[in-house]
Amino acid sequence: MFKAVDKEIINNHNLKLISDLNSDFDHLRKKLERNKVNINDIKNKIKNFQVAVPTWGVGTGGTRFARFPGIGEPQNIYEKIEDCAVINDLVGITQKVSPHFPWDNVSDFKELKEFSDSFGIGYDVVNSNTFQDQGEDNLSFKYGSLTNADQSVREKAIQVNKEAIEAGMTLGSKGLTVWVGDGGNFPGQISFSKSLERYIESMKKIYSNLPEDWKVYLEHKPYEPAFYSTVISDWGTSYICAKELGEKAMCLVDLGHHLPNTNIEMIVSRLIDLNKLGGFHFNDSKFGDDDLDAGSINPFELFLIFNELTLANKNGKLKEISYMMDQSHNVTDPIESLILSSNEIALCFTKSLLVDFDLLSELQDANDTIGSLQLLKTAFNTDVNPIVSMARYENSNAIDPISIYRSLNYKQNKSKVRTSSKGSSSGIV
Ligand code: LRH
Ligand code: MN
C-alpha cells in the first residue's frame, strides 16, 4: 500500500513527543481512575472511531462572491484522494471519503477504486448533485430537481441519483445522501403540497433503485439556494418523508442546516428515539450554513450532540451511524482544516465517554439542575488530548499531525506537478 506520508517521518517525529505524551496520559489516567473511569477502555474506542472526509472539502471552497484557490490544489478526484490519504496517514480516523457526483465522475470507477485502495482509502456515503445543471440537454434544475413541475426534469434528477448509486456500488459505498435545494424565492412561486408530493414520488423511484444493503439519507436545510421556502426544510419534514419511503430511508443532520439557536442535540435525540437517525455532516457555523470547521465556533454543542449519541449507544438504541464532515475551506489549507476538524470531533466524542449517564439520570430525576450541568461541564472541560493523541500513536499515526504536515511542504511540492486553478471564480467548489 502506498503511503502518502512516509512512515519513517511520522515515527521520527513521534519519538520526540512520546515521553511527554506518556506522562500526560499517565496523569490523566490517575485523574480518571478517581472517577472509576478506565482510560484504556476510552482509548480503544477512539482507536476504532472513524469520520469521513468530503472529497469536495480538500479543494479550496468559496462563496457567491469569490473563491481564492491555494497553490497545489487538487484538480480531479485522483489528486483529491492523494490529499485525503495524507490526512488519513497523519490522523488515522479518516479512512473513508464521501464523494459527490457528478463532481467526482470518472470514465473508469474500477480504476479509481484500485487507485484509492492503493492508498488505503475507502468510500463512505455518496452524494448526488441536482443543484447544478449538467449535461448538454436543456433540462435545467433552475426551478427544482426532484420536485420540478416538469416531469422530464424530475426524471433527469432521478437519473443523476441512479448514476450516483451505480458509481457508489463500484467504489464499495453503502449509501446515498440526497440533498435538494428545491424551493421558491417568492410567495406563490411553488405549490407547497404539490412540491412535497413530487419529492416523495421521485424519492420512491430512487429508493426502488437502492441495493438491498444500502441506505438513503435525506438531508434537510431551511434555506439557500431558495430564500422563501425549501421543500425539505427541517428534520420533521425529513422524518415524515423517510418514514413514508421505508426502512432504508434515514435522516441526515448537517449541523449548519438549522436556523440560529436551534437545539440540534435535541433533534438528534428525537431522531434516535424515532429510529431514523442515519448520519451527520459535521461542520460549524455562527450565522447560516457557513460550513466552517467542526468544533471551531461551538465545540460545546458538538460535545452535547455526541452526548446524545453515547447515551443512545449505552442504551442500545444507536444504529449504524455515518459520520462525515461537510465543510468549505475558504481561507485555510483544506488539509490542515480537515486534520484539525477530525481531531475536534474525536475530542468531543471522547469527552462524551467520560459522562456517568446513570448519575446524570439520577440528578435529572432529582431536578438537581446545577448538579447535572456541572457533571456535563466537568466532562467537557477535561483535556482529553492525551487520549486522542495516544490513540493516534498506537495506530502508528502522528501524535502532532499539523506539525508533520507543515514539515512536508506538501502543497509547494504538489504545485510543481499539478496544474494550478486559475482566478477567483465564485461558488463553493
Ligand atoms: C448543502 C450541502 C449538501 C452537499 C453540499 C455540498 O448545503 O450541505 O450536503 O451536497 O452541501
Ligand atoms: Mn451537507
Side-chain angles (χ1 to χ4, degrees):
M1 190 191 321
F2 284 136
K3 281 292 148 196
V5 180
D6 187 336
K7 270 286 173 226
E8 216 38 48
I9 294 174
I10 296 177
N11 294 344
N12 294 342
H13 207 272
N14 284 348
L15 281 176
K16 301 186 205 109
L17 301 173
I18 187 58
S19 82
D20 289 350
L21 177 56
N22 280 331
S23 61
D24 294 348
F25 187 83
D26 208 43
H27 171 75
L28 183 56
R29 178 182 59 74
K30 293 187 190 111
K31 184 174 175 208
L32 296 182
E33 252 163 28
R34 290 202 297 269
N35 294 336
K36 302 195 178 25
V37 172
N38 179 316
I39 196 170
N40 290 313
D41 291 352
I42 296 181
K43 179 193 67 185
N44 293 332
K45 287 198 174 103
I46 303 307
K47 289 174 76 172
N48 298 314
F49 178 74
Q50 286 287 322
V51 58
V53 165
T55 55
W56 62 94
V58 283
T60 295
T63 70
R64 60 184 169 162
F65 299 105
R67 191 177 80 87
F68 304 97
I71 62 160
E73 286 267 311
Q75 300 299 319
N76 56 57
I77 183 64
Y78 286 89
E79 294 177 352
K80 290 177 181 178
I81 294 298
E82 287 175 347
D83 290 9
C84 291
V86 168
I87 297 167
N88 190 51
D89 284 357
L90 292 171
V91 300
I93 62 172
T94 57
Q95 281 158 9
K96 289 189 173 178
V97 300
S98 182
H100 216 299
F101 300 114
W103 285 339
D104 296 325
N105 269 358
V106 291
S107 53
D108 183 340
F109 282 106
K110 272 203 185 57
E111 184 194 62
L112 175 60
K113 172 107 171 61
E114 282 150 22
F115 178 84
S116 309
D117 286 346
S118 71
F119 281 98
I121 295 291
Y123 287 85
D124 202 310
V125 175
V126 304
N127 299 267
S128 60
N129 173 347
T130 59
F131 47 86
Q132 292 172 323
D133 282 346
Q134 42 212 277
E136 301 318 308
D137 59 34
N138 59 2
L139 296 173
S140 170
F141 295 141
K142 177 176 180 178
Y143 295 110
S145 60
L146 297 176
T147 74
N148 194 295
D150 179 335
Q151 170 85 31
S152 52
V153 174
R154 297 202 298 273
E155 286 308 325
K156 176 178 178 177
I158 293 164
Q159 186 54 31
V160 168
N161 282 278
K162 287 181 183 173
E163 289 165 11
I165 293 171
E166 292 299 319
M169 289 167 73
T170 309
L171 295 171
S173 173
K174 293 290 183 208
L176 165 72
T177 293
V178 178
W179 169 70
V180 292
D182 295 22
N185 274 5
F186 302 99
Q189 179 182 342
I190 67 168
S191 155
F192 297 144
S193 54
K194 282 192 196 154
S195 54
L196 186 60
E197 246 170 61
R198 289 193 289 253
Y199 174 83
I200 291 174
E201 178 208 306
S202 298
M203 283 304 301
K204 282 185 173 164
K205 292 182 179 167
I206 294 169
Y207 189 94
S208 64
N209 278 273
L210 290 173
E212 207 34 52
D213 58 352
W214 271 51
K215 290 262 190 298
V216 63
Y217 301 86
L218 312 186
E219 184 177 1
H220 59 273
K221 182 175 180 179
Y223 71 95
E224 189 203 42
F227 292 105
Y228 167 69
S229 68
T230 292
V231 179
I232 308 302
S233 58
D234 59 74
W235 74 274
T237 308
S238 178
Y239 169 72
I240 290 164
C241 296
K243 196 91 175 114
E244 176 73 18
L245 289 169
E247 64 186 22
K248 290 185 206 165
M250 305 297 281
C251 300
L252 181 137
V253 176
D254 182 312
L255 302 195
H257 291 185
H258 302 89
L259 297 175
N261 310 322
T262 298
N263 187 325
I264 302 174
E265 55 270 24
M266 189 173 76
I267 292 172
V268 170
S269 168
R270 293 280 178 275
L271 287 171
I272 289 170
D273 291 345
L274 292 164
N275 296 316
K276 279 296 185 185
L277 179 68
F280 289 89
H281 278 179
F282 291 121
N283 49 53
D284 212 335
S285 48
K286 193 147 184 66
F287 303 104
D289 186 22
D290 310 339
D291 282 341
L292 299 175
D293 297 7
S296 62
I297 306 292
N298 189 351
F300 189 51
E301 178 185 67
L302 187 58
F303 160 73
L304 293 172
I305 288 169
F306 271 102
N307 237 25
E308 295 306 323
L309 295 164
T310 299
L311 171 60
N313 201 25
K314 178 179 172 298
N315 299 336
K317 287 204 291 190
L318 202 60
K319 296 215 175 26
E320 200 207 322
I321 300 286
S322 233
Y323 295 131
M324 296 164 277
M325 290 180 268
D326 177 1
Q327 301 175 179
S328 179
H329 309 110
N330 305 352
V331 294
T332 61
D333 177 334
I335 290 180
E336 293 194 349
S337 274
L338 289 161
I339 288 173
L340 208 57
S341 302
S342 65
N343 190 56
E344 281 296 314
I345 293 165
L347 290 173
C348 286
F349 173 44
T350 308
K351 291 175 180 193
S352 75
L353 296 171
L354 301 182
V355 175
D356 178 341
F357 288 102
D358 297 334
L359 176 54
L360 180 63
S361 177
E362 285 166 27
L363 293 168
Q364 288 166 338
D365 294 348
N367 297 316
D368 182 347
T369 307
I370 290 299
S372 45
L373 178 59
Q374 184 185 38
L375 185 140
L376 293 184
K377 279 289 185 156
T378 302
F380 179 69
N381 294 330
T382 301
D383 174 8
V384 295
N385 272 294
I387 298 175
V388 176
S389 300
M390 188 62 83
R392 278 197 297 270
Y393 174 72
E394 292 183 4
N395 279 346
S396 308
N397 303 109
I399 292 173
D400 181 352
I402 295 276
S403 303
I404 295 183
Y405 173 67
R406 290 187 170 184
S407 70
L408 300 173
N409 296 326
Y410 179 77
K411 285 291 175 66
Q412 282 82 357
N413 299 339
K414 285 297 179 186
S415 66
K416 299 188 186 86
V417 293
R418 289 177 176 176
T419 55
S420 66
S421 42
K422 293 290 161 290
S424 61
S425 60
S426 66
I428 64 170
V429 293

